[in-house]
Amino acid sequence: MTPNETYDALEQWHLLPATNFTWRPFTATAIYVDSPHAQRVYQLDWIEVNI
């Protein structure tokens, strides 16, 4: 997943901080999220299966 796809998925699943935060790409597949109370790196390993 690209960083933008990771952000979109986390946002859709309501997993991002509820407070103000900033984010930026961390690697090709992860994002860095900085909020007043925590700094986190999120990476989703997504296996796409086509049947």
Side-chain angles (χ1 to χ4, degrees):
M1 297 184 90
T2 68
N4 286 339
E5 291 170 330
T6 298
Y7 176 85
D8 290 342
L10 292 170
E11 183 179 49
Q12 182 178 3
W13 299 330
H14 306 286
L15 295 176
L16 293 169
T19 59
N20 291 335
F21 65 90
T22 59
W23 74 277
R24 65 177 185 261
F26 188 72
T27 66
T29 59
I31 62 171
Y32 172 81
V33 176
D34 186 15
S35 70
H37 303 290
Q39 296 79 37
R40 299 177 190 259
V41 174
Y42 294 92
Q43 179 173 358
L44 301 176
D45 293 325
W46 203 266
I47 298 173
E48 189 173 326
V49 177
N50 295 320
I51 298 176

